[in-house]
Amino acid sequence: MARSVRIKDHHAESQLFEQRAVVAAVLMVIAMGLVISRLVWLQVVKYDYFADLSQGNRIRIEPIPPNRGLILDRNGLPLATNAPSYQLELTKEQVADVDATLAGIAEIGLIDKENIPTIKRDLRGRRSFDAVPIKLQLTEVELARFAARRHQFPGVEIRPRLTRYYPLAESSVHAIGYVGAISEDDKKRLNLDDYAGTTLTGKNGVEYAYEDQLHGRAGFQQLLVNAQGRSVERIGNEAAKLERKEPVAGNDLFLTIDMRVQQAAEEALRGQRASAVAIDPANGDILAFVSTPAFDPNLFARGLTRPEYLALTEDPDRPMYDRVIRGVYPPGSTVKPMMAMAALEYGMVTPADSVFCRGAYRMPGVSRPWRDWKPGGHGHVDMRKAIATSCDVYFYDIANQMGVDRIHDYLAQFGMGTITGIDIPGEKIGLLPSTAWKKKAFRRKEAQMWFPGDTISIGIGQGYMNATPLQLAHATATIAGRGQRFKPRLVRAVRNVTTGQVTELKPSPLPSPHVNDPGAWDVAIGGMYDVANAPYGTARGATANALYKIAGKSGTAQVFTVAANEKMRKPGELAEHLRDHALFIAFAPADAPRIAVAVVVENAPAGGSGFAAPIARRILDTYLLTPEQLAEQDAKRKPTPPPPPAPRPGETE
Amino acid sequence: MSLDAIDSSRTQRTLTGTAQLLLALHLDGPLFIALCMVGAVGSIVLFSASGSSLDMLEAQLMRFALGLIAMIMLAQVPPRIIRNAAPVAYVIGLIMLLLVMFTGDIAMGAQRWLDLGFVRFQPSELMKLAVPLACAWFLHERPLPPSLTSLLVVGLGIGIPTLLIAEQPDLGTALLVAAGGGMVVLLAGLQIRYILSVVGLLVPVAVVAWHFLLHDYQKQRVLTFLDPQSDPLGSGYHIIQSQIAIGSGGVFGKGYLNGSQAQLEFLPERSTDFIFAVVGEEWGLIGLVTVILLFMFVIGRALYLSATAHDTFSRLASGSLALTFCVYVFVNTGMVTGLLPVVGVPLPFVSYGGTAMVTLMAGFGILMSLCAKRKLVSR
């Protein structure tokens, strides 16, 4: 290389340049070689790795929610369906001013002002390109109102979706339950993989209990997305091959409920705080399941507004409260047939043994008398007549003889004091008292003691004892079936929507009550038959002229204790909420029972035989008669529509 | 066959005519054709990278045409004038850089533009040409290899505009400007010991720069380059996505307009700095190597031309322009493939963007003027 020279040497400089240029060219080749080897590394050696990564980049899996199974009555009448509905959905990124938009929508009355904070909270949790429902199930009027102004609300769209729809609204809502938005608690319980894309889940009743049958399995589809996660149709000019797995629709359920019976019962109970359950004694099928007042489950599928929710929860009549399985009432005289059988079982009396009833029972050594509902007394009554006339004195006596623990042990075999095992959740066990129970239930030593006097009230289904209407109906069905017992059930069959195959569910038998002498059934059933048919039967008024034979038992549960020295009052004289509950249990036809029923009316205007028995009769008629027979019978009665039969003086049964 | 004969003679005549025209215009045939090919490939790639935007394609073709005109016009300017204009252009560029510092428009968070009233102008682009030309002008009359004093002067001449541009901040252009000047010095025969000492000096300079001069985003780029996964959705995103795009292209590519990374917008800056990854995704290794070979031909041809130039100024200036083009290509491809940290250097003639394309073509025009075989050699 030329050493530093002071004069310019053009030839040397030119050579120097050439030298350097060659070095530069070599360096360039090395640099580009580096880049190319890097490319070989990326595109050949690591090709599989990057190809996988690029797949993950552009395909997003989007769930397809399954169609929820239908709920049908036992004859296939749809009770819960999936209806297309229109909902208002807002996509954040397309809305310039979310606050103004929501305020505008509130102004045209599609959402409530109070709900805006809730909606905004919901929006915050979602991605900006997700369409978030802000109002479900638009009515046609609302639809039209929005359509006329939609240009004012860019980014807000009306979209059709399937939502749960209950065509009969309030009818049998406590049995069916309802669906509502998936809550945090639900998320712990549900397999969330199958709930991707689903917003509603069963909240109560059959909708809750049979969630795994109804829901089905979610499907999915692969979507081509860009880096913003937005769905696009194709990459460049080639439509992509995308996988799609169809969802598996949920199974349809056939309920045991017969809507004819159900609606007749609902009609008969309208306006009352009441419940009625009808059971088929042959298999435990629940034919009617009524709790009034009720509510419209469609509100929950749509999403309740706060005022609507408050209106439901703060209603003093508690429409959401399922009286059939959660209401507990003193069973009153409806326990007498069971009590009689217990006395026979323990050999306390024979059916023919008679007691002379003077209108009050006195326990040896206790000055206070236990009064009969009939001030003059019933005179001589044997067991069957004691049931038929509902003689309290007779049952005070046998209860006293048996003692509470034997009563407890025997009545427990009818399902009292325990859950019946119905296929929906939330059942109360009622209370079947015993000495052991009292020891546990009370803290104070003195209160833990069981007094013989406690037992006497139990004899007529009062005192500590209480039961749910379902337990009463279940016990009635047990008597009707002469000991044959089944878990009550609301679902009879499951239909696979894909194959169309219907699987009948087997009834679940329960152990029968023990009887030393099967004749005990005849006595109990005979007594109940006389209630409805003997001239001295307490319910003969309500059961007269039936085209079949009814066996029943009335009951009146005291809410307000009348002091011993006070004059008995007529139910009408008491404040409404202090009035007695009216109860009636029945089955029919008496010789070959097909239906057993329990009716409980809270604070009824009349007693069990007067008010509850006609309702039970209506239910039995509807189930046992043909529509023509029913219409004919109604026509005969029309001229004198039965006013709530005036209570006979002093009757409390 | 007579018809064939006529045809082939016509073709021959056309070719000869074209060659003569190119010669008359002082254009180098092979380089001119190679540049046109690069421009054509670039336009095809850009159409896909822009998401099939005809508007962008049209704008790019317009700029290419503008660049061609600039190139042809500059090729007509006698080398003497270019040589004499070099220091003037340098001074004007420096003044404008200072003006930008105080008054320039801010675009994309950086102060790079000077609004001249009728046109918005990026003085740093002018400096890409002015710095190497001025360096060549300064050195061409002095004995080579340059003395230490000359080196210090040239060092200042390169350093001041480089720092001004880096402060805008535009690290990519600063790098190219420094490279342009640096290449002149290297080609002028800078002694090995100086090269070694500069490298030795770079280490403390780098430390000082890291702590006092670099912007946070620039530091972040370096950090991300060292470990892209540290911030996959933040600054590492570019590198990760571009490597996925290239890697998933494989040997043969996914096909034109079918690169999912690019078409679905996973690849950021797909039509500008990262367009090389689009080529890799859609055309595969074959496409990329073809593009690289095309660039290498351009560089090699330019370097060859500069070696044939008749005077020192022409040699140094044109050699520097050729090598700066090489730096362009290497820095861009290196950054897109993850070999180098992300600095904003576009892929010449392919990336979307106006000024750089025109500047490059102007550079090639100057190169052609300086290296043209003239009948009367002007010294």
Side-chain angles (χ1 to χ4, degrees):
Chain A
M1 196 190 284
R3 278 289 302 157
S4 168
V5 278
R6 289 295 98 198
I7 50 156
K8 279 188 78 68
D9 175 348
H10 289 290
H11 181 67
E13 279 179 20
S14 175
Q15 270 193 329
L16 184 60
F17 181 87
E18 268 170 41
Q19 225 174 42
R20 291 285 161 123
V22 169
V23 172
V26 170
L27 283 176
M28 172 188 79
V29 172
I30 291 173
M32 288 303 148
L34 257 170
V35 171
I36 290 175
S37 56
R38 175 73 179 173
L39 293 176
V40 171
W41 169 255
L42 292 175
Q43 297 190 295
V44 180
V45 181
K46 302 274 277 180
Y47 168 73
D48 290 333
Y49 171 72
F50 285 114
D52 278 357
L53 282 183
S54 96
Q55 277 296 313
N57 251 352
R58 64 193 171 97
I59 289 184
R60 196 176 74 202
I61 292 179
E62 193 172 86
I64 312 172
N67 282 355
R68 196 171 174 85
L70 307 181
I71 298 178
L72 311 157
D73 94 329
R74 68 180 301 118
N75 301 313
L77 183 77
L79 305 179
T81 61
N82 302 310
S85 76
Y86 292 95
Q87 61 189 41
L88 214 53
E89 292 181 2
L90 184 147
T91 310
K92 257 192 295 184
E93 65 173 11
Q94 295 167 16
V95 177
D97 184 346
V98 172
D99 288 314
T101 300
L102 290 178
I105 294 169
E107 211 157 280
I108 62 170
L110 292 190
I111 54 175
D112 286 330
K113 274 216 167 59
E114 304 93 272
N115 285 339
I116 289 181
T118 323
I119 294 171
K120 280 173 69 179
R121 201 173 328 126
D122 197 22
L123 283 172
R124 257 199 297 283
R126 306 296 199 89
R127 291 173 297 185
S128 61
F129 51 83
D130 278 339
V132 181
I134 55 171
K135 161 94 177 169
L136 304 173
Q137 300 190 12
L138 293 164
T139 63
E140 289 195 6
V141 175
E142 290 169 330
L143 211 56
R145 206 183 303 154
F146 181 78
R149 294 174 180 78
R150 84 184 310 162
H151 63 276
Q152 296 172 8
F153 305 110
V156 182
E157 297 283 341
I158 294 170
R159 291 234 167 74
R161 289 284 146 97
L162 279 185
T163 50
R164 201 58 158 171
Y165 175 61
Y166 303 93
L168 300 178
E170 296 197 353
S171 186
S172 47
V173 60
H174 293 102
I176 298 170
Y178 51 88
V179 295
I182 297 172
S183 68
E184 288 305 310
D185 280 349
D186 291 331
K187 282 180 187 163
K188 287 178 207 144
R189 183 171 55 87
L190 302 170
N191 170 16
L192 288 178
D193 289 347
D194 274 328
Y195 283 81
T198 302
T199 51
L200 301 173
T201 184
K203 288 291 182 180
N204 233 323
V206 169
E207 290 271 32
Y208 175 90
Y210 287 86
E211 178 69 29
D212 52 344
Q213 292 280 355
L214 289 166
H215 181 68
R217 311 280 310 272
F220 67 83
Q221 59 184 344
Q222 293 183 331
L223 287 182
L224 206 56
V225 296
N226 63 13
Q228 283 85 50
R230 212 169 306 159
S231 168
V232 292
E233 296 264 305
R234 45 205 215 113
I235 323 169
N237 55 4
E238 183 191 303
K241 292 162 214 71
L242 297 173
E243 263 185 73
R244 184 182 162 97
K245 186 181 146 221
E246 290 304 325
V248 180
N251 293 329
D252 293 346
L253 299 180
F254 284 96
L255 296 191
T256 56
I257 288 180
D258 183 324
M259 269 332 267
R260 252 183 89 227
V261 182
Q262 174 78 16
Q263 289 190 309
E266 285 169 359
E267 188 53 43
L269 290 175
R270 191 171 306 278
Q272 303 293 334
R273 290 187 303 279
S275 52
V277 208
I279 297 181
D280 183 341
N283 49 26
D285 280 6
I286 293 177
L287 303 167
F289 186 105
V290 184
S291 174
T292 56
F295 60 97
D296 183 353
N298 289 311
L299 297 179
F300 287 85
R302 189 197 70 193
L304 284 168
T305 62
R306 197 166 160 68
E308 280 171 334
Y309 182 72
L310 288 179
L312 273 181
T313 50
E314 288 175 4
D315 186 332
D317 289 343
R318 301 169 72 192
M320 295 190 44
Y321 173 54
D322 183 353
R323 292 174 159 78
V324 173
I325 59 171
R326 298 189 65 81
V328 287
Y329 307 91
S333 302
T334 58
V335 296
K336 284 174 182 169
M338 282 186 277
M339 209 61 76
M341 287 186 69
L344 292 176
E345 179 71 8
Y346 293 117
M348 299 296 153
V349 289
T350 68
D353 287 348
S354 88
V355 164
F356 189 77
C357 167
R358 286 187 184 82
Y361 175 75
R362 286 180 190 279
M363 210 172 70
V366 180
S367 58
R368 178 175 98 80
W370 278 266
R371 295 199 293 200
D372 196 280
W373 65 269
K374 193 171 175 186
H378 300 278
H380 278 285
V381 289
D382 62 4
M383 184 174 271
R384 199 165 150 162
K385 195 171 178 188
I387 296 171
T389 59
S390 201
C391 171
D392 291 339
V393 170
Y394 183 93
F395 288 97
Y396 291 144
D397 185 38
I398 60 170
N400 189 35
Q401 287 186 51
M402 281 188 282
V404 68
D405 286 336
R406 275 193 267 198
I407 295 174
H408 170 273
D409 292 349
Y410 200 67
L411 264 59
Q413 297 182 42
F414 286 82
M416 304 296 277
T418 175
I419 56 165
T420 63
I422 187 178
D423 51 352
I424 58 172
E427 201 184 349
K428 285 257 171 99
I429 62 169
L431 176 55
L432 183 58
S434 65
T435 52
W437 163 79
K438 200 174 182 190
K439 237 185 211 113
K440 261 200 285 184
F442 289 91
R443 185 116 37 89
R444 284 196 359 259
K445 203 83 189 156
E446 313 87 271
Q448 290 180 347
M449 218 19 189
W450 186 272
F451 297 103
D454 293 340
T455 311
I456 291 173
S457 313
I458 303 298
I460 62 161
Q462 295 278 161
Y464 294 117
M465 191 175 189
N466 60 41
T468 65
L470 180 66
Q471 284 174 327
L472 294 179
H474 175 64
T476 310
T478 306
I479 296 169
R482 298 174 70 88
Q484 205 183 7
R485 269 174 89 216
F486 296 94
K487 272 188 192 170
R489 60 175 193 174
L490 279 163
V491 176
R492 136 183 115 68
V494 175
R495 179 166 68 194
N496 182 313
V497 176
T498 320
T499 62
Q501 190 188 346
V502 176
T503 312
E504 298 281 344
L505 304 179
K506 286 206 173 65
S508 331
L510 294 170
S512 298
H514 186 263
V515 283
N516 289 323
D517 175 7
W521 294 112
D522 298 322
V523 178
I525 293 169
M528 289 175 73
Y529 178 85
D530 290 349
V531 166
N533 299 288
Y536 46 81
T538 55
R540 66 189 178 282
T543 55
N545 306 321
L547 296 175
Y548 50 89
K549 292 301 180 191
I550 297 172
K553 182 72 199 82
S554 58
T556 298
Q558 278 182 2
V559 176
F560 177 74
T561 311
V562 181
N565 56 354
E566 236 182 304
K567 197 173 152 277
M568 287 286 193
R569 300 186 205 215
K570 288 182 189 169
E573 292 172 9
L574 276 171
E576 204 247 354
H577 68 280
L578 296 176
R579 291 197 310 223
D580 295 340
H581 301 323
L583 292 85
F584 197 76
I585 60 171
F587 59 86
D591 50 348
R594 289 168 53 207
I595 177 170
V597 63
V599 175
V600 178
V601 182
E602 291 177 16
N603 315 116
S609 57
F611 199 82
I615 294 166
R617 165 77 187 273
R618 187 73 196 165
I619 294 170
L620 300 179
D621 277 354
T622 313
Y623 188 61
L624 295 172
L625 302 185
T626 63
E628 297 76 37
Q629 287 173 316
L630 198 59
E632 195 182 320
Q633 183 179 293
D634 283 351
K636 267 191 231 161
R637 279 202 205 158
K638 257 284 144 42
T640 51
R648 281 155 298 147
E651 182 194 306
T652 60
E653 296 137 70
Chain B
M1 302 222 213
S2 59
L3 205 67
D4 270 1
I6 292 167
D7 258 10
S8 70
S9 78
R10 176 180 291 167
T11 315
Q12 213 170 354
R13 263 187 285 134
T14 313
L15 278 176
T16 319
T18 311
Q20 282 169 343
L21 180 68
L22 287 174
L23 202 63
L25 288 173
H26 305 131
L27 298 174
D28 179 61
L31 187 55
F32 184 79
I33 291 164
L35 286 175
C36 287
M37 279 171 70
V38 174
V41 168
S43 303
I44 292 168
V45 173
L46 180 78
F47 181 66
S48 172
S50 63
S52 307
S53 162
L54 282 172
D55 289 347
M56 281 172 76
L57 180 64
E58 202 183 300
Q60 184 83 341
L61 286 172
M62 284 291 291
R63 289 195 199 102
F64 188 70
L66 202 68
L68 271 180
I69 293 169
M71 180 173 86
I72 293 167
M73 278 169 56
L74 279 167
Q76 313 314 311
V77 180
R80 184 173 39 84
I81 296 181
I82 293 175
R83 192 175 62 208
N84 293 337
V88 181
Y90 177 84
V91 172
I92 292 174
L94 203 58
I95 291 168
M96 287 203 291
L97 270 184
L98 289 167
L99 279 176
V100 162
M101 238 188 124
F102 299 109
T103 67
D105 276 2
I106 293 175
M108 312 273 290
Q111 222 169 9
R112 298 175 188 175
W113 300 86
L114 191 63
D115 200 335
L116 296 181
F118 60 97
V119 66
R120 262 155 44 98
F121 180 76
Q122 226 175 325
S124 52
E125 286 296 328
L126 173 64
M127 289 312 255
K128 279 187 193 166
L129 297 176
V131 168
L133 288 179
C135 289
W137 167 82
F138 182 78
L139 289 175
H140 88 281
E141 286 194 317
R142 286 157 226 276
L144 296 180
S147 66
L148 196 59
T149 342
S150 311
L151 278 179
L152 283 175
V153 174
V154 170
L156 273 176
I158 299 168
I160 291 168
T162 302
L163 282 175
L164 285 175
I165 295 167
E167 270 304 298
Q168 285 181 351
D170 185 351
L171 207 57
T173 309
L175 186 79
L176 290 169
V177 167
M183 291 301 171
V184 174
V185 179
L186 285 176
L187 289 172
L190 180 67
Q191 290 93 331
I192 304 290
R193 59 192 153 103
Y194 288 130
I195 300 176
L196 290 178
S197 47
V198 164
V199 171
L201 209 68
L202 271 178
V203 177
V205 166
V207 172
V208 171
W210 182 261
H211 287 290
F212 301 107
L213 294 176
L214 289 182
H215 285 253
D216 274 348
Y217 87 96
Q218 291 166 335
K219 286 192 209 173
Q220 190 59 48
R221 279 181 180 175
V222 177
L223 288 176
T224 308
F225 160 68
L226 295 174
D227 181 15
Q229 295 294 342
S230 67
D231 187 9
L233 288 177
S235 36
Y237 189 77
H238 287 60
I239 296 178
I240 293 171
Q241 294 297 345
S242 85
Q243 289 187 28
I244 293 175
I246 294 172
S248 65
V251 176
F252 301 103
K254 296 176 184 172
Y256 188 52
L257 296 178
N258 277 333
S260 55
Q261 288 285 90
Q263 300 299 334
L264 301 176
E265 296 171 40
F266 288 101
L267 183 66
E269 295 177 43
R270 56 181 183 168
S271 60
T272 53
D273 289 358
F274 282 83
I275 199 164
F276 191 63
V278 179
V279 182
E281 189 180 22
E282 299 190 346
W283 302 92
L285 184 61
I286 291 175
L288 288 179
V289 170
T290 308
V291 169
I292 289 174
L293 289 178
L294 210 50
F295 277 128
M296 284 173 76
F297 177 81
V298 168
I299 298 160
R301 179 70 189 173
L303 214 51
Y304 166 80
L305 286 179
S306 61
T308 63
H310 299 289
D311 62 318
T312 309
F313 172 77
S314 300
R315 273 201 298 268
L316 291 180
S318 56
S320 162
L321 290 172
L323 290 179
T324 309
F325 187 76
C326 178
V327 170
Y328 250 109
V329 175
F330 178 65
V331 171
N332 180 270
T333 55
M335 126 191 142
V336 172
T337 53
L339 281 177
L340 299 174
V342 176
V343 282
V345 172
L347 188 63
F349 299 110
V350 185
S351 287
Y352 184 75
T355 343
M357 168 103 89
V358 178
T359 315
L360 277 166
M361 296 291 269
F364 280 107
I366 291 169
L367 187 142
M368 288 185 192
S369 157
L370 295 178
C371 307
K373 294 173 188 66
R374 288 167 214 276
K375 302 226 164 64
L376 292 170
V377 176
S378 60
R379 293 246 168 147

